[in-house]
Amino acid sequence: MVADLIIAAELTRRALFTGAASGAVAPSALADTAPAYIPVSDKAQPNGVASLDADGHIYVDQIPPGLATLDADGHVYESQLPPALALHDDLVFNVRDHGAAGDGVQDDLPAIRATIAAATAHGGGVVWFPVGIYAISAPIGDTSTGLSNLTLAGAGSQIATIRATTNAPILTGIWYSCTVVNLVLDANGQGAPCISAHLDKTHLERLWLLNWNGFGMTLNDGTFSDDGGLLNVISHCNIQQNTGTGISTGYRFYDSWISDNNIGASYADLSLEGGPVRVLGNHLDGSPTYNIEFRGNKRIVVSNNILEGSRKQSIVYRMPPWLTSDKPQIQIIGNTFSNGGKLAQNVYPAISITGVSSAARTEGFTVTGNTFACDDVGAGWTYIIEAQFARTIAAVGNQWKEGHMATQPCRFVTCSNTEVIGNHADNVVKTT
C-alpha cells in the first residue's frame, strides 16, 4: 500500500526537521500510522504554509489541479507527485526511525549505523539526531573504506548528544566530503578522544566536545590513511578543557581552516604539523602549557585569535630534529596575547622559535600587528620573541610594552636576517 502523505506536512522545512516526517522511512512503514500535519500555528509564518484549515490541513481547492488525484480526505499520494516535488528518501534519515531511543540508556549504535547505511545506500544524505542522549558502545565511522557524502546533524542548538559508554572515540575512521554539525560529543570520561579520524574535504561545525582525554580531536595522523586530507574546516566548535590537547593535526592535514573555535586544554589548545593551514578567529584559553604548538609546518597563517592563559609560551615552534633545512613561513598577524607564563613568571617568552643547530636553522617568521599584555597576578613573559638557530624573522608594528618583563623585548641567539621595527615602546634585541 502506497502511503498517503500530506504535501504541506512533508515539503516544509519545519515539518522535516522537527521529526514530523523523515525521508528515510519507506512508504510501507507509514501505512499504519497517522499522517503528520503542520500545526495551525505555522499558518502564514516563515517557512510555514498559508491557507490551513482549523485542523492544520491544507485546503483541497488550494492544490494545483494538475498535481494528482486527491483521496476522500483531500490527501495526495506521494507516488503521484511530479518529480520536482516528490519526496526522495535520501533527504533526511532520522535515527529514531531506525530504532534509536535517545534516552542515554539503550545502546543506540546499531540504530545509528543502520541509519548511516540507509543514507549511504541512497548516495548520501542527512543523518538526523532529534533532541536526546544517544549512548554508543563503540565508535561511529568506517576505518577501512570510509564514509562519504553524509551530514550528521543534531536538533536544537548543541542539544542532541552522542555519549560514549566505553573507552573509544565517538567519531573515527575516514570521512570524505562529510559534515558533522550541531552535536554534543561526550567522551564521558572513559579515557578516549571525542574524535580520532582522517578528514578529507570535511567540515566539523558547531560541535561541543566534553569529557575527553588525550585529545579533543586528533586528525590525519596516519592511523587510518597515509593520504593527504585537504579543504577541511573546523569552525565554531567548543572544546571544553580536559587533559591533553584540544586539536592535534598530522602533516596529512593541509589546505584547511581552523576558525572561530573556543578551545581549552591542559597541554596545547592547538598542536599542528604540516600545512598550509589557516588559524583564524579562535579563542584559545583554559590553562594550557601552550596555546599553539607547531611541530614542523609550512605556510601557516595565525590571525585574529585571542591567546590567553598559557602556563609557558603562548606559541612554540620547534624545528623537527631530522631536518637539515626548514622554511615554515609562519605569519602571526593581528592577534591578542595575554596573561601567559603563569607557571613561572619571567621565565618563558611569549613566542619561542628553535632550530636544530647553527648549521640547520629554521627560517621565515613574521610577527606583525599583535598586542601582548599581562595583567593577571603571576602572569608575565620574559621576552616577546626568543629565537635560537633561526633566520629571517620580522617583528613589526606590535604593541608589547606590557607584555615582557626583561629589558629587551626580543632575544635572538645564533640568528641572522632579523628585523625588529616600529613596535610600541621599544625595539631592542638581546643577542646573548
Side-chain angles (χ1 to χ4, degrees):
M1 172 181 178
V2 180
D4 55 342
L5 302 176
I6 294 184
I7 297 172
E10 291 289 334
L11 293 185
T12 61
R13 202 182 328 174
R14 179 171 292 135
L16 188 64
F17 287 101
T18 52
S22 169
V25 182
S28 60
L30 293 175
D32 297 325
T33 60
Y37 300 104
I38 292 177
V40 71
S41 60
D42 279 4
K43 181 176 179 179
Q45 298 300 312
N47 297 321
V49 177
S51 302
L52 302 176
D53 65 16
D55 297 319
H57 300 171
I58 191 168
Y59 289 104
V60 172
D61 59 8
Q62 302 261 330
I63 300 290
L67 259 183
T69 303
L70 304 175
D71 65 14
D73 298 317
H75 301 169
V76 62
Y77 291 109
E78 179 185 2
S79 60
Q80 296 177 317
L81 290 172
L85 290 179
L87 288 171
H88 299 291
D89 56 357
D90 61 355
L91 289 176
V92 174
F93 299 80
N94 192 324
V95 296
R96 296 289 183 94
D97 295 334
H98 291 265
D103 59 3
V105 177
Q106 172 183 298
D107 182 8
D108 286 329
L109 182 66
I112 294 169
R113 286 178 172 172
T115 311
I116 289 173
T120 300
H122 287 74
V126 176
V127 176
W128 180 248
F129 292 80
V131 174
I133 299 175
Y134 299 87
I136 58 171
S137 59
I140 298 168
D142 188 323
T143 59
S144 55
T145 59
L147 299 174
S148 61
N149 305 312
L150 295 173
T151 293
L152 273 60
S157 179
Q158 296 179 338
I159 298 175
T161 299
I162 304 176
R163 177 176 292 166
T165 59
T166 59
N167 182 7
I170 296 171
L171 302 182
T172 195
I174 305 168
W175 299 73
Y176 298 109
S177 299
C178 291
T179 297
V180 183
V181 61
N182 202 32
L183 287 163
V184 178
L185 304 182
D186 182 2
N188 201 24
Q190 299 292 316
C194 287
I195 302 174
S196 176
H198 182 91
L199 309 182
D200 186 34
K201 293 178 279 296
T202 288
H203 289 214
L204 305 179
E205 302 177 355
R206 289 188 288 124
L207 304 177
W208 187 4
L209 275 56
L210 303 175
N211 302 314
W212 49 270
N213 188 269
F215 304 95
M217 306 180 188
T218 177
L219 307 173
N220 297 36
D221 62 1
T223 300
F224 306 107
S225 175
D226 202 37
D227 296 333
L230 72 163
L231 301 181
N232 301 297
V233 176
I234 303 172
S235 69
H236 296 90
C237 295
N238 183 8
I239 302 179
Q240 181 173 297
Q241 174 153 345
N242 283 280
T243 302
T245 296
I247 298 176
S248 177
T249 66
Y251 70 83
R252 301 165 185 83
F253 183 92
Y254 57 85
D255 287 340
S256 295
W257 292 260
I258 300 173
S259 64
D260 301 298
N261 302 285
N262 181 75
I263 304 173
S266 67
Y267 178 68
D269 294 323
L270 297 175
S271 181
L272 308 179
E273 184 182 28
V277 173
R278 295 80 163 172
V279 180
L280 309 173
N282 299 282
H283 184 202
L284 307 177
D285 61 345
S287 184
T289 302
Y290 314 110
N291 294 121
I292 303 177
E293 176 189 49
F294 290 116
R295 312 188 318 272
N297 303 83
K298 183 68 72 175
R299 291 184 289 279
I300 304 292
V301 176
V302 180
S303 183
N304 196 33
N305 301 280
I306 297 172
L307 303 93
E308 61 181 354
S310 63
R311 290 179 291 136
K312 295 183 179 180
Q313 298 95 315
S314 185
I315 292 180
V316 57
Y317 180 87
R318 300 184 186 94
M319 177 178 169
W322 58 87
L323 294 179
T324 57
S325 65
D326 183 34
K327 296 181 179 180
Q329 300 170 323
I330 293 178
Q331 302 176 67
I332 302 169
I333 303 171
N335 303 280
T336 299
F337 295 78
S338 64
N339 297 316
K342 289 184 173 181
L343 183 64
Q345 190 180 51
N346 199 20
V347 172
Y348 304 99
I351 299 172
S352 68
I353 301 167
T354 309
V356 173
S357 67
S358 59
R361 301 190 187 193
T362 184
E363 62 179 275
F365 297 84
T366 301
V367 182
T368 301
N370 303 281
T371 299
F372 298 82
C374 292
D375 45 35
D376 280 1
V377 174
W381 293 297
T382 49
Y383 307 99
I384 299 301
I385 306 172
E386 185 173 41
Q388 185 177 24
F389 305 135
R391 61 167 65 95
T392 318
I393 300 173
V396 181
N398 299 284
Q399 298 184 42
W400 60 28
K401 182 178 181 180
E402 298 178 355
H404 62 94
M405 302 184 73
T407 303
Q408 303 91 347
C410 298
R411 180 174 182 251
F412 298 154
V413 179
T414 318
C415 295
S416 60
N417 299 331
T418 62
E419 293 181 293
V420 180
I421 302 171
N423 300 287
H424 182 254
D426 48 59
N427 298 279
V428 181
V429 177
K430 181 178 174 64
T431 58
T432 59

